[in-house]
Amino acid sequence: MTAPTAPAPLPPSVALDLGGRTALVTGAAGGIGRACALRLAGAGAKVRAVDRDATGLKRLTARANGLAGTVEPLVLDLTDLDAAEQAAAGTDILVNNAGLQLVRPLETFPPEVFHTVLTVMLEAPFRLIRGALPHMYGQGWGRIVNLSSVHGLRASAFKSAYVSAKHGLEGLSKTAALEGAPHGVTSNCVNPGYVRTPLVQRQIADQAAAHGIPEDRVLTEILLKDTALKRLVEPHEVAEAVAYLCTPQASFITGTSLALDGGWTAH
């Protein structure tokens, strides 16, 4: 299946300075997480790149050579919740990005997969926030950015675990915003539509089976059906929005959800 042609990469539109800040990005070995780690490091941050994919983290670290900041790989499975909380200690910026997806009808959705999705995409962000807040509160400054999804704002059939996790993440993010406000800590969600990542590419076969249509019709008839802009979002576009929310200039933006959905939620 051939996806719509990607637009040419754009240079960063905002000159960001995150020098002296320590950031943690989960799911950093690929896709949106990789783009976020590189963008924050490019702005001067010291980035802890968390993923269970050691090989992907090595490639990320090599790609980060020469940037203003640094990338330090941390191989970690986020189902180890105690380790996740410990990893977040001392961070100024937390980007909760890691996720997984399975497309199945509710009546055949594996309960163990539902549990894992909720653990990685909701409980782990709670533990990471819990681990990061003491340092953030102590210094009176912090940025929490939760990679939600248009599925944090809208539901889709056959995605019970993913939609449940993202809706829960929205509530967690808003609660962190209310509690963090007196301490100079902001918390926001970024809500992309379908992004050009391996996670989305892997959905195509699952969606074809769930809807009973050929794979070459999934993109146009399922994934992009409700968007006004008929293309996938690029990881660097999402990373730019995430990076802006981490700046001092974004200090009055908290408790909100920034939709990068090509007009999906305008319906």
Side-chain angles (χ1 to χ4, degrees):
M1 189 201 78
T2 302
T5 303
L10 299 173
S13 59
V14 181
L16 305 180
D17 182 8
L18 296 174
R21 297 297 185 187
T22 297
L24 186 150
V25 180
T26 66
I32 296 171
R34 181 179 188 273
C36 289
L38 292 172
R39 184 67 182 98
L40 295 177
K46 177 182 177 181
V47 179
R48 295 178 193 167
V50 173
D51 205 291
R52 61 181 182 179
D53 179 1
T55 301
L57 288 178
K58 287 180 182 178
R59 287 195 294 264
L60 170 65
T61 304
R63 174 64 180 80
N65 285 339
L67 296 179
T70 61
V71 173
E72 297 182 355
L74 176 58
V75 179
L76 176 65
D77 188 327
L78 291 178
T79 60
D80 185 343
L81 297 170
D82 290 339
E85 183 170 328
Q86 293 166 10
T91 55
D92 308 305
I93 295 166
L94 173 62
V95 180
N96 283 312
N97 165 73
L100 58 154
Q101 176 67 281
L102 180 66
V103 181
R104 292 286 189 282
L106 270 165
E107 68 273 18
T108 61
F109 202 100
E112 66 277 10
V113 176
F114 191 96
H115 173 75
T116 299
V117 170
L118 268 290
T119 300
V120 171
M121 294 172 56
L122 183 55
E123 192 168 2
F126 158 69
R127 295 292 293 271
L128 286 153
I129 292 171
R130 189 173 187 271
L133 284 181
H135 171 73
M136 293 179 178
Y137 283 3
Q139 68 180 0
W141 194 96
R143 296 288 183 267
I144 300 167
V145 182
N146 299 298
L147 263 299
S148 182
S149 164
V150 69
H151 285 111
L153 307 173
R154 298 286 189 273
S156 286
F158 310 120
K159 296 182 178 181
S160 56
Y162 190 88
V163 170
S164 296
K166 292 303 189 184
H167 274 66
L169 186 64
E170 294 282 330
L172 175 64
S173 183
K174 289 172 180 151
T175 300
L178 295 178
E179 294 187 17
H183 306 280
V185 175
T186 66
S187 176
N188 293 287
C189 285
V190 173
N191 303 67
Y194 289 103
V195 186
R196 193 184 303 276
T197 65
L199 182 69
V200 168
Q201 296 297 333
R202 286 193 295 269
Q203 283 189 55
I204 294 173
D206 281 350
Q207 288 278 12
H211 291 274
I213 62 174
E215 291 186 17
D216 60 3
R217 291 170 52 193
V218 168
L219 192 67
T220 55
E221 295 184 21
I222 304 299
L223 301 191
L224 300 180
K225 179 176 69 70
D226 293 322
T227 66
L229 299 175
K230 300 299 183 183
R231 68 171 178 87
L232 299 174
V233 190
E234 298 301 322
H236 72 83
E237 294 178 294
V238 181
E240 196 67 32
V242 170
Y244 173 69
L245 291 173
C246 296
T247 63
Q249 291 81 1
S251 63
F252 206 66
I253 304 174
T254 195
T256 193
S257 300
L258 175 60
L260 303 178
D261 64 356
W264 186 338
T265 54
H267 289 280

